[in-house]
Amino acid sequence: MGATRIIPTLFRENGRNDLNALERQNGFDPLAEGQAMLRLIAELYPICRSITGDGLRETLRLLQRQIPLELREVPTGTQVFDWTVPKEWNIRDAYVKNAKGERVIDFQKSNLHVVNYSVPVRQRVGLAELKEHLFTLPKHPDWIPYRTSYYKESWGFCLSENQLVGMKDEEYEVCIDSTLEDGHLSYGEYFLPGEMRDEVLISCHACHPSLCNDNLSGIALAVSLAQRLKSIPRRYSYRFLFIPGTIGAITWLAKNEEKIANIKHGLVLTGVGDAGALHYKKSRKGTAEIDRAAAHVLKHCGQAHEILEFSPYGYDERQYCSPGINLSVGRLSRTPHGTFPEYHTSADNLEFVHADKLGGALAVSLEILSVLENNGTFVNSSPKCEPQLGKRGLYRMIGGTPDAGVSEMAMLWVLNQSDGENSLLDIAERSGMRFDAVSKTAKALEEHKLLR
Ligand SMILES: [Zn+2]
């Protein structure tokens, strides 16, 4: 990757504005990035993941080829706040055979066919009894639903309604070749140090089997963000977590309580590859800097978007925003989970996610982080009436100059509002200008000693 080589020393010396500089100077191509994300998704798609077990481990090991992720293992039975790390689940094979010995439901064809965390089973049953363990989606007769039974020991199969209709009333041989035993809960962690101890948390769940938008798109986005961020100077440190949903977040928080205070901002990434509009869900605080940065970037991003208020339902923002943790962590998605029919079905497949949508989510995420990186509060060092811009060569920087982002209007706003109280994000919000323009202007004014 040429990224590190191309960045001029200027940006290395000054940690501010680097993300935007990188985007502009290295020909950041969201579509090409999205295509790379899609390739990673396709590689991970066939693996049967769960909240524990070898599928999750294999996924994390594949991610280690992309970023130097550390694998952590927490033993079964470990107490994590009000929860206990569960037994480890692994599966080799599963099927339902008809009287002729044909596999009418076959785990080898889709890992969604087995209720995730099913206990081992080997028995012969009639159709009526078998049906108590079968799940279909009558509304979408071709699709296989995704079901789990993590915290209640049971077993089951998921199949399409069309498959079920074709099953005769006869005796079936049921086999689930799984194990549910003491083992470990695995997760991946990648810490990228910055100038400050203050951290930005990037979290995604990695516990779903063959589902693309729900889980794999968030993983791919987190990987791309990590790859981009590691090659540029950073004010903040970044912590990436690839964890099983719910229990993974709870486990990390319970085992790292001393680190929680360092986390100043965070994003949960999930469901960013479908064709729908971007949705940012606010943190529990609702007015955190990340909430305002995300709203600002989305307002100016030129893509369809929506801002959602916090609710205690959703992904791991539930844990990060529980009252005793209360981190400034929001969530970036496209169509919110549960509101599209493909959600938790076999139709959340490789066709359901799109390179341009993945790339668009990456561009927006980078810009949100760029706001956090570059936000700051300045003081106008010539605050009595307006300083004379002309004699400093600033007046005719308007348009036409290479620094077209630095307009006279932006200078007037930044100078007027920089009284030590208003941050650059405050100024961007109040002026209606893009943060990037305000931040570049502040940099120019600082170089001319008009801001400190
Ligand atoms: Zn899900």
Side-chain angles (χ1 to χ4, degrees), residues 108-147:
Q108 303 301 338
K109 289 190 176 156
S110 168
N111 55 42
L112 297 178
H113 275 315
V114 172
V115 171
N116 204 285
Y117 251 68
S118 283
V119 295
V121 178
R122 259 178 205 282
Q123 62 185 72
R124 290 182 172 276
V125 288
L127 184 61
E129 195 188 336
L130 179 60
K131 272 186 173 174
E132 290 169 23
H133 297 273
L134 299 183
F135 303 93
T136 65
L137 286 170
K139 267 195 185 170
H140 297 281
D142 292 334
W143 299 355
I144 307 165
Y146 161 57
R147 293 283 183 108

Side-chain angles (χ1 to χ4, degrees), residues 297-348:
V297 168
L298 285 172
K299 185 179 165 190
H300 292 274
C301 74
Q303 301 181 43
H305 64 272
E306 211 168 307
I307 306 291
L308 304 171
E309 292 301 324
F310 177 76
S311 72
Y313 185 65
Y315 291 91
D316 285 327
E317 69 275 11
R318 293 160 68 157
Q319 314 311 329
Y320 301 127
C321 293
S322 55
I325 308 289
N326 207 21
L327 288 171
S328 299
V329 173
R331 187 188 81 205
L332 188 70
S333 309
R334 286 189 178 274
T335 311
H337 64 98
T339 66
F340 52 96
E342 294 85 355
Y343 173 71
H344 278 189
T345 78
S346 55
D348 181 0

Side-chain angles (χ1 to χ4, degrees), residues 142-157:
D142 292 334
W143 299 355
I144 307 165
Y146 161 57
R147 293 283 183 108
T148 66
S149 186
Y150 300 140
Y151 302 104
K152 178 175 167 264
E153 290 200 2
S154 72
W155 62 271
F157 285 88

Side-chain angles (χ1 to χ4, degrees), residues 200-238:
V200 180
L201 175 70
I202 304 291
S203 177
C204 60
H205 65 289
C207 54
H208 288 27
S210 292
L211 296 164
C212 284
N213 200 40
D214 188 3
N215 121 99
L216 295 181
S217 70
I219 294 172
L221 176 52
V223 166
S224 289
L225 273 178
Q227 287 172 334
R228 289 241 139 215
L229 289 167
K230 80 177 190 313
S231 62
I232 52 174
R234 302 159 299 271
R235 272 205 311 146
Y236 284 104
S237 299
Y238 289 80

